[in-house]
Short mmCIF file of all heavy atoms in Angstrom, two decimals:
data_model
loop_
_atom_site.label_atom_id
_atom_site.label_comp_id
_atom_site.label_asym_id
_atom_site.label_seq_id
_atom_site.Cartn_x
_atom_site.Cartn_y
_atom_site.Cartn_z
N ASP A 269 -0.66 -3.90 -18.13
CA ASP A 269 -1.96 -4.54 -18.32
C ASP A 269 -2.12 -5.82 -17.51
O ASP A 269 -3.16 -6.45 -17.54
CB ASP A 269 -2.21 -4.82 -19.80
CG ASP A 269 -1.12 -5.67 -20.43
OD1 ASP A 269 -0.21 -6.09 -19.73
OD2 ASP A 269 -1.19 -5.89 -21.65
N THR A 270 -1.10 -6.20 -16.75
CA THR A 270 -1.18 -7.40 -15.93
C THR A 270 -1.14 -6.99 -14.46
O THR A 270 -0.07 -6.75 -13.90
CB THR A 270 0.00 -8.35 -16.24
OG1 THR A 270 0.02 -8.61 -17.63
CG2 THR A 270 -0.14 -9.66 -15.49
N TRP A 271 -2.31 -6.92 -13.85
CA TRP A 271 -2.43 -6.50 -12.46
C TRP A 271 -2.73 -7.71 -11.60
O TRP A 271 -3.38 -8.66 -12.04
CB TRP A 271 -3.56 -5.48 -12.31
CG TRP A 271 -3.26 -4.19 -12.98
CD1 TRP A 271 -3.55 -3.85 -14.27
CD2 TRP A 271 -2.60 -3.07 -12.41
NE1 TRP A 271 -3.11 -2.59 -14.53
CE2 TRP A 271 -2.51 -2.08 -13.41
CE3 TRP A 271 -2.07 -2.80 -11.16
CZ2 TRP A 271 -1.93 -0.85 -13.19
CZ3 TRP A 271 -1.49 -1.57 -10.93
CH2 TRP A 271 -1.42 -0.60 -11.94
N ARG A 272 -2.27 -7.68 -10.34
CA ARG A 272 -2.59 -8.74 -9.38
C ARG A 272 -2.79 -8.11 -8.02
O ARG A 272 -2.25 -7.05 -7.73
CB ARG A 272 -1.51 -9.80 -9.35
CG ARG A 272 -0.18 -9.30 -8.81
CD ARG A 272 0.85 -10.43 -8.79
NE ARG A 272 2.15 -9.93 -8.41
CZ ARG A 272 2.58 -9.77 -7.17
NH1 ARG A 272 1.77 -10.06 -6.17
NH2 ARG A 272 3.78 -9.31 -6.91
N LYS A 273 -3.57 -8.79 -7.19
CA LYS A 273 -3.78 -8.31 -5.84
C LYS A 273 -2.47 -8.42 -5.08
O LYS A 273 -1.79 -9.45 -5.13
CB LYS A 273 -4.86 -9.14 -5.14
CG LYS A 273 -5.13 -8.69 -3.72
CD LYS A 273 -6.21 -9.54 -3.08
CE LYS A 273 -6.35 -9.16 -1.63
NZ LYS A 273 -7.30 -10.02 -0.93
N SER A 274 -2.11 -7.37 -4.39
CA SER A 274 -0.88 -7.38 -3.61
C SER A 274 -0.99 -8.36 -2.46
O SER A 274 -2.03 -8.45 -1.80
CB SER A 274 -0.60 -5.99 -3.06
OG SER A 274 0.47 -6.04 -2.16
N SER A 275 0.08 -9.09 -2.20
CA SER A 275 0.09 -10.01 -1.06
C SER A 275 0.05 -9.24 0.26
O SER A 275 -0.20 -9.82 1.31
CB SER A 275 1.33 -10.90 -1.11
OG SER A 275 2.50 -10.12 -1.04
N TYR A 276 0.27 -7.94 0.21
CA TYR A 276 0.23 -7.11 1.42
C TYR A 276 -1.18 -6.59 1.71
O TYR A 276 -1.40 -5.96 2.72
CB TYR A 276 1.21 -5.94 1.30
CG TYR A 276 2.64 -6.41 1.34
CD1 TYR A 276 3.33 -6.70 0.18
CD2 TYR A 276 3.30 -6.59 2.56
CE1 TYR A 276 4.63 -7.16 0.21
CE2 TYR A 276 4.60 -7.05 2.60
CZ TYR A 276 5.26 -7.33 1.43
OH TYR A 276 6.55 -7.78 1.46
N SER A 277 -2.14 -6.85 0.82
CA SER A 277 -3.51 -6.44 1.08
C SER A 277 -4.13 -7.39 2.09
O SER A 277 -3.87 -8.59 2.06
CB SER A 277 -4.35 -6.47 -0.21
OG SER A 277 -3.95 -5.44 -1.06
N GLY A 278 -4.97 -6.84 2.94
CA GLY A 278 -5.61 -7.68 3.95
C GLY A 278 -6.72 -8.52 3.37
O GLY A 278 -7.03 -8.46 2.18
N GLY A 279 -7.33 -9.32 4.21
CA GLY A 279 -8.43 -10.19 3.79
C GLY A 279 -9.69 -9.38 3.58
O GLY A 279 -9.69 -8.39 2.86
N GLY A 280 -10.76 -9.78 4.20
CA GLY A 280 -12.00 -9.04 4.07
C GLY A 280 -12.80 -9.51 2.87
O GLY A 280 -12.71 -10.65 2.46
N ASP A 281 -13.55 -8.60 2.29
CA ASP A 281 -14.46 -8.97 1.20
C ASP A 281 -13.77 -9.09 -0.15
O ASP A 281 -14.41 -9.41 -1.14
CB ASP A 281 -15.62 -7.99 1.12
CG ASP A 281 -15.17 -6.56 0.80
OD1 ASP A 281 -14.02 -6.37 0.39
OD2 ASP A 281 -15.99 -5.65 0.96
N GLY A 282 -12.50 -8.83 -0.22
CA GLY A 282 -11.77 -8.96 -1.48
C GLY A 282 -11.87 -7.76 -2.39
O GLY A 282 -11.21 -7.71 -3.42
N ASN A 283 -12.69 -6.78 -2.04
CA ASN A 283 -12.85 -5.60 -2.88
C ASN A 283 -12.01 -4.42 -2.41
O ASN A 283 -11.87 -3.45 -3.12
CB ASN A 283 -14.32 -5.18 -2.96
CG ASN A 283 -15.13 -6.20 -3.70
OD1 ASN A 283 -14.66 -6.81 -4.65
ND2 ASN A 283 -16.36 -6.39 -3.26
N ASN A 284 -11.53 -4.48 -1.21
CA ASN A 284 -10.74 -3.39 -0.64
C ASN A 284 -9.27 -3.77 -0.62
O ASN A 284 -8.72 -4.12 0.41
CB ASN A 284 -11.21 -3.06 0.78
CG ASN A 284 -12.63 -2.57 0.79
OD1 ASN A 284 -13.02 -1.82 -0.08
ND2 ASN A 284 -13.41 -3.01 1.74
N CYS A 285 -8.67 -3.74 -1.78
CA CYS A 285 -7.27 -4.15 -1.82
C CYS A 285 -6.48 -3.27 -2.78
O CYS A 285 -7.03 -2.50 -3.55
CB CYS A 285 -7.13 -5.61 -2.20
SG CYS A 285 -7.71 -6.02 -3.84
N VAL A 286 -5.21 -3.45 -2.70
CA VAL A 286 -4.28 -2.76 -3.59
C VAL A 286 -3.86 -3.76 -4.65
O VAL A 286 -3.61 -4.93 -4.36
CB VAL A 286 -3.05 -2.28 -2.79
CG1 VAL A 286 -1.98 -1.74 -3.71
CG2 VAL A 286 -3.45 -1.23 -1.77
N GLU A 287 -3.81 -3.31 -5.88
CA GLU A 287 -3.32 -4.15 -6.97
C GLU A 287 -1.98 -3.59 -7.43
O GLU A 287 -1.77 -2.39 -7.39
CB GLU A 287 -4.30 -4.15 -8.14
CG GLU A 287 -5.61 -4.81 -7.81
CD GLU A 287 -6.59 -4.76 -8.96
OE1 GLU A 287 -6.62 -3.76 -9.70
OE2 GLU A 287 -7.34 -5.73 -9.11
N ILE A 288 -1.10 -4.50 -7.82
CA ILE A 288 0.20 -4.06 -8.32
C ILE A 288 0.48 -4.71 -9.67
O ILE A 288 -0.07 -5.75 -10.01
CB ILE A 288 1.35 -4.38 -7.33
CG1 ILE A 288 1.50 -5.89 -7.13
CG2 ILE A 288 1.15 -3.68 -6.02
CD1 ILE A 288 2.76 -6.26 -6.37
N ALA A 289 1.31 -4.04 -10.43
CA ALA A 289 1.81 -4.56 -11.70
C ALA A 289 3.28 -4.20 -11.75
O ALA A 289 3.68 -3.12 -11.33
CB ALA A 289 1.06 -3.96 -12.87
N THR A 290 4.10 -5.11 -12.23
CA THR A 290 5.53 -4.86 -12.23
C THR A 290 6.13 -4.98 -13.62
O THR A 290 5.61 -5.69 -14.48
CB THR A 290 6.26 -5.86 -11.29
OG1 THR A 290 6.00 -7.18 -11.74
CG2 THR A 290 5.80 -5.70 -9.87
N THR A 291 7.21 -4.25 -13.81
CA THR A 291 8.06 -4.41 -14.98
C THR A 291 9.46 -4.63 -14.43
O THR A 291 9.65 -4.68 -13.21
CB THR A 291 8.05 -3.17 -15.89
OG1 THR A 291 8.72 -2.09 -15.21
CG2 THR A 291 6.64 -2.75 -16.27
N THR A 292 10.43 -4.74 -15.28
CA THR A 292 11.79 -4.95 -14.79
C THR A 292 12.32 -3.74 -14.04
O THR A 292 13.23 -3.86 -13.23
CB THR A 292 12.75 -5.30 -15.94
OG1 THR A 292 12.67 -4.28 -16.92
CG2 THR A 292 12.40 -6.64 -16.54
N THR A 293 11.75 -2.56 -14.28
CA THR A 293 12.29 -1.34 -13.66
C THR A 293 11.32 -0.61 -12.74
O THR A 293 11.75 0.24 -11.97
CB THR A 293 12.74 -0.34 -14.75
OG1 THR A 293 11.61 -0.02 -15.57
CG2 THR A 293 13.86 -0.92 -15.59
N HIS A 294 10.02 -0.89 -12.80
CA HIS A 294 9.03 -0.13 -12.04
C HIS A 294 7.96 -1.03 -11.42
O HIS A 294 7.75 -2.15 -11.87
CB HIS A 294 8.33 0.91 -12.93
CG HIS A 294 9.22 2.03 -13.30
ND1 HIS A 294 10.11 1.96 -14.35
CD2 HIS A 294 9.37 3.26 -12.76
CE1 HIS A 294 10.77 3.11 -14.44
NE2 HIS A 294 10.34 3.91 -13.48
N VAL A 295 7.28 -0.47 -10.41
CA VAL A 295 6.12 -1.10 -9.80
C VAL A 295 4.99 -0.08 -9.85
O VAL A 295 5.16 1.07 -9.44
CB VAL A 295 6.40 -1.51 -8.33
CG1 VAL A 295 5.15 -2.08 -7.68
CG2 VAL A 295 7.55 -2.50 -8.26
N ALA A 296 3.84 -0.50 -10.36
CA ALA A 296 2.66 0.37 -10.41
C ALA A 296 1.66 -0.13 -9.37
O ALA A 296 1.53 -1.33 -9.14
CB ALA A 296 2.04 0.35 -11.80
N VAL A 297 0.94 0.81 -8.74
CA VAL A 297 0.00 0.49 -7.68
C VAL A 297 -1.32 1.20 -7.98
O VAL A 297 -1.32 2.36 -8.41
CB VAL A 297 0.54 0.98 -6.31
CG1 VAL A 297 -0.42 0.64 -5.18
CG2 VAL A 297 1.91 0.42 -6.03
N ARG A 298 -2.44 0.50 -7.75
CA ARG A 298 -3.75 1.14 -7.92
C ARG A 298 -4.74 0.54 -6.92
O ARG A 298 -4.52 -0.52 -6.36
CB ARG A 298 -4.27 0.97 -9.35
CG ARG A 298 -4.69 -0.44 -9.68
CD ARG A 298 -5.18 -0.53 -11.11
NE ARG A 298 -5.63 -1.89 -11.42
CZ ARG A 298 -6.01 -2.28 -12.61
NH1 ARG A 298 -5.97 -1.44 -13.62
NH2 ARG A 298 -6.42 -3.52 -12.81
N ASP A 299 -5.85 1.23 -6.75
CA ASP A 299 -6.93 0.80 -5.87
C ASP A 299 -7.84 -0.13 -6.67
O ASP A 299 -8.34 0.26 -7.72
CB ASP A 299 -7.69 2.03 -5.38
CG ASP A 299 -8.81 1.71 -4.41
OD1 ASP A 299 -9.20 0.54 -4.28
OD2 ASP A 299 -9.30 2.66 -3.78
N SER A 300 -8.09 -1.32 -6.16
CA SER A 300 -8.91 -2.27 -6.91
C SER A 300 -10.37 -1.81 -7.05
O SER A 300 -11.05 -2.23 -7.97
CB SER A 300 -8.89 -3.64 -6.24
OG SER A 300 -9.49 -3.58 -4.96
N LYS A 301 -10.83 -0.94 -6.15
CA LYS A 301 -12.20 -0.44 -6.24
C LYS A 301 -12.36 0.60 -7.34
O LYS A 301 -13.47 0.85 -7.80
CB LYS A 301 -12.62 0.20 -4.90
CG LYS A 301 -12.71 -0.77 -3.76
CD LYS A 301 -13.20 -0.10 -2.49
CE LYS A 301 -12.47 1.12 -2.06
NZ LYS A 301 -11.10 1.03 -1.63
N ALA A 302 -11.27 1.20 -7.77
CA ALA A 302 -11.32 2.26 -8.78
C ALA A 302 -10.14 2.12 -9.75
O ALA A 302 -9.28 2.98 -9.82
CB ALA A 302 -11.31 3.62 -8.11
#
């Protein structure tokens, strides 16, 4: 439930980025637009 914009996402309008959430064992990735 704690997502943040990936530091690897480019600039631009801020809507076209990848968000990530981490736990001690896994990394989850999603599209910020959806």
